[in-house]
Amino acid sequence: MSDQTRAHRWVGLLLLIGVTTVLLGTVAGSQGWHAWWWSQADEVSRQIVLDIRLPRSLGAWLGGGLLGLAGAVAQGLFRNPLADPYLLGSASGASLGVGTYFSLFGGSAWVMTWWLGLGLTGAAFVGAVLAVILTLLLARGVQQTLRLLLAGVVVGVVLGAVTSMMSLLQPQVLQAMQGFMLGSTAFVGWTACATMAMVLILCVALAWTFARVLDALTLGESTAQTLGVPLRSARLVLVGVISLATGAAVAHIGLVAFVGLAAPHLVRSLVRCTHAWRLLLAALMGGALLSLADVLARVLFAPQELPVGVLTAVLGGGYLLWRVYRDTDQSSGAGAVR
């Protein structure tokens, strides 16, 4: 079986898994699994399914898709398997934006009035974008990958320290930000789903267009330049894809850990393919991972609900630890054979 045929099959399988987990999300509630029949459901049950559970489950899949895509682009662009969507400081910028919003307007972590919720989402998105812009200014553009990487780390540390200082000066801000920091899909509505869907389609199209640049970068920047690849414009577009995808996801579901890091690793372990297929598969894998984690977060300790970011951190961290242990064990075995 060729690699392309295997990639096609994994696309179909991951789509099927995504649809299944979204449907499972419609029967997963605060009391665990809730079986219902549409013909026998009352108006309240239908409203719960259509206005709460379905958009939440679909939003989890879309948010995971954005993070998986951003992680695959980041790892290909920086040629670093440890790169994740938050590498350019977007997570710290979003946290600072949310903290600033709460310090100015107050309120609870996930406010219920629509205009205040829109302000919270906008603050997170603006904070993430401004952090990336600050990273680009500090790195003096996108010409040097290493400088861009270091600038993102510095911006993330500095903005994280500012957020911590704000929380110390105003303790109510830290309490209000808890839901955002741990990640939550509980208040994702149809508007958020529409926004994330449009951003996901746009980012997938842009990343797919410049996928051959990521293929060339695997040979090294010097070799890529000799091949006539437009590195400067491609880097700018791909950094924009990472920023837009991460900002949209973080603004709506908070800081969800390890999905953007683990999804590309899983894809690489399952199939060998070019970056064009790897980006699409990483997006589908990220959506499947987060939607499954959202279902588990609702039913594992029902009626108590776990923050989905905590669950993805435990599962994703455990997977990466197992990969490190396995790779180390294989390397030791190969050394012994030699």
Side-chain angles (χ1 to χ4, degrees):
M1 183 187 301
S2 65
D3 292 336
Q4 188 171 4
T5 302
R6 188 177 289 108
H8 291 168
R9 292 191 175 184
W10 273 107
V11 167
L13 179 60
L14 289 175
L15 280 173
L16 178 61
I17 294 174
V19 172
T20 302
T21 53
V22 169
L23 293 178
L24 284 176
T26 62
V27 296
S30 59
Q31 302 299 323
W33 300 109
H34 174 67
W36 55 273
W37 299 99
W38 187 260
S39 59
Q40 300 176 358
D42 56 18
E43 190 63 29
V44 175
S45 299
R46 293 180 181 179
Q47 186 175 5
I48 290 174
V49 171
L50 292 178
D51 296 336
I52 298 177
R53 292 182 183 175
L54 185 57
R56 173 179 180 170
S57 301
L58 183 59
W61 185 86
L62 292 169
L66 288 169
L67 292 176
L69 175 66
V73 173
Q75 292 179 14
L77 181 62
F78 294 109
R79 292 178 293 161
N80 189 336
L82 295 179
D84 71 349
Y86 303 145
L87 197 60
L88 298 179
S90 56
S92 299
S95 300
L96 181 59
V98 172
T100 303
Y101 183 82
F102 279 130
S103 66
L104 293 177
F105 299 102
S108 59
W110 296 98
V111 287
M112 298 301 294
T113 54
W114 70 269
W115 62 271
L116 202 56
L118 182 62
L120 177 61
T121 301
F125 183 79
V126 170
V129 172
L130 290 179
V132 174
I133 292 175
L134 181 59
T135 299
L136 293 176
L137 292 175
L138 186 61
R140 299 178 182 177
V142 295
Q143 291 81 8
Q144 296 187 16
T145 304
L146 181 59
R147 180 183 293 176
L148 184 63
L149 182 63
L150 294 176
V153 173
V154 171
V155 169
V157 171
V158 172
L159 295 185
V162 174
T163 305
S164 299
M165 184 179 299
M166 182 183 302
S167 301
L168 289 174
L169 295 176
Q170 295 180 307
Q172 72 277 9
V173 173
L174 179 60
Q175 184 178 0
M177 287 179 61
Q178 187 175 7
F180 176 82
M181 298 293 291
L182 296 178
S184 175
T185 59
F187 297 101
V188 174
W190 286 115
T191 302
C193 288
T195 302
M196 287 191 286
M198 289 187 292
V199 173
L200 181 60
I201 292 172
L202 175 62
C203 290
V204 167
L206 291 174
W208 185 283
T209 302
F210 288 91
R212 67 183 185 90
V213 176
L214 298 177
D215 291 332
L217 280 175
T218 59
L219 304 175
E221 292 191 13
S222 300
T223 304
Q225 289 176 349
T226 60
L227 294 175
V229 175
L231 284 181
R232 183 172 182 176
S233 58
R235 278 200 192 100
L236 187 60
V237 172
L238 292 174
V239 167
V241 168
I242 297 172
S243 308
L244 183 60
T246 306
V250 168
H252 292 98
I253 62 176
L255 300 182
V256 176
F258 276 104
V259 171
L261 182 62
H265 278 274
L266 279 170
V267 170
R268 282 196 297 270
S269 66
L270 294 173
V271 60
R272 295 179 58 185
C273 56
T274 62
H275 273 89
W277 289 105
R278 186 177 298 171
L279 296 173
L280 179 59
L281 287 169
L284 295 175
M285 181 67 74
L289 289 176
L290 188 54
S291 57
L292 178 60
D294 180 59
V295 172
L296 292 176
R298 282 185 260 174
V299 300
L300 282 179
F301 298 99
Q304 184 177 359
E305 181 177 324
L306 289 175
V308 68
V310 173
L311 191 59
T312 57
V314 172
L315 297 178
Y319 165 74
L320 292 176
L321 286 174
W322 173 77
R323 283 292 304 270
V324 170
Y325 173 78
R326 191 190 68 171
D327 294 343
T328 303
D329 188 52
Q330 289 178 349
S331 300
S332 302
V337 171
R338 292 192 188 95

